[in-house]
Amino acid sequence: MDPHHALALPHPRPGITPDNRFFWDGLRQRELRIQRCAACHRLQHPPAPMCSGCHGFEMESIVASGRGTIHSFVIAEHPAIPPFSYPNLIVLVDLEEGTRLVSRLVDVAPEVVAIGMAVVVDYERIDDELTLHCFRSLETAGG
Ligand SMILES: [Zn+2]
């Protein structure tokens, strides 16, 4: 048996449902899709069956620009859980469209990350089925 096999942990999988499948399908196509209520046009994330504003059930989606700013962050250092890399910068991003999502900040040193930092989405392909979103500093991503 390959001695490295036992170390190759599978990446954790998201729980995909009929309500959030569009989001994960979008990431595979390098699109950040955000759920929008067809009735009142409220954006919400994570996707849910019902609009939290007007309680409508007819939901659609928009493709976000991927630009935003860091609303808050936490730097996870210990315990280091494979397959994630550490320190792991977990950020709450205010998208310019007006909703928030939790993601990961990459290629930014922990001492540089700051609330208000301008960021832009990027995509991390895990395998054929799963692509994740992450964010980069808008400055180092080239504007
Ligand atoms: Zn609504």
Side-chain angles (χ1 to χ4, degrees):
M1 185 179 173
D2 177 356
H4 297 290
H5 183 75
L7 298 175
L9 294 179
H11 198 286
R13 317 300 294 192
I16 295 180
T17 70
D19 296 314
N20 69 19
R21 181 171 300 282
F22 76 94
F23 178 76
W24 299 102
D25 287 348
L27 293 178
R28 279 206 309 276
Q29 295 170 49
R30 300 179 66 85
E31 283 185 359
L32 184 61
R33 297 177 185 170
I34 299 295
Q35 190 178 47
R36 182 172 69 180
C37 173
C40 75
H41 292 179
R42 180 191 180 96
L43 298 177
Q44 68 180 11
H45 186 84
M50 185 178 78
C51 172
S52 58
C54 74
H55 299 174
F57 285 98
E58 195 184 334
M59 307 302 286
E60 56 192 19
S61 68
I62 61 156
V63 177
S65 70
R67 286 186 297 274
T69 55
I70 294 178
H71 179 81
S72 183
F73 65 93
V74 63
I75 302 173
E77 297 188 67
H78 183 82
I81 301 167
F84 303 104
S85 58
Y86 288 81
N88 191 0
L89 275 58
I90 299 161
V91 289
L92 181 60
V93 176
D94 276 327
L95 294 179
E96 65 180 11
E97 286 81 6
T99 191
R100 290 179 183 148
L101 83 169
V102 174
S103 191
R104 205 164 67 82
L105 188 66
V106 299
D107 292 344
V108 173
E111 59 271 24
V112 175
V113 60
I115 289 170
M117 175 183 268
V119 292
V120 63
V121 76
D122 199 358
Y123 302 90
E124 183 184 11
R125 184 185 179 280
I126 304 298
D127 55 38
D128 285 349
E129 299 293 315
L130 180 63
T131 295
L132 301 178
H133 53 80
C134 59
F135 281 78
R136 298 179 181 279
S137 163
L138 186 63
E139 199 173 310
T140 55

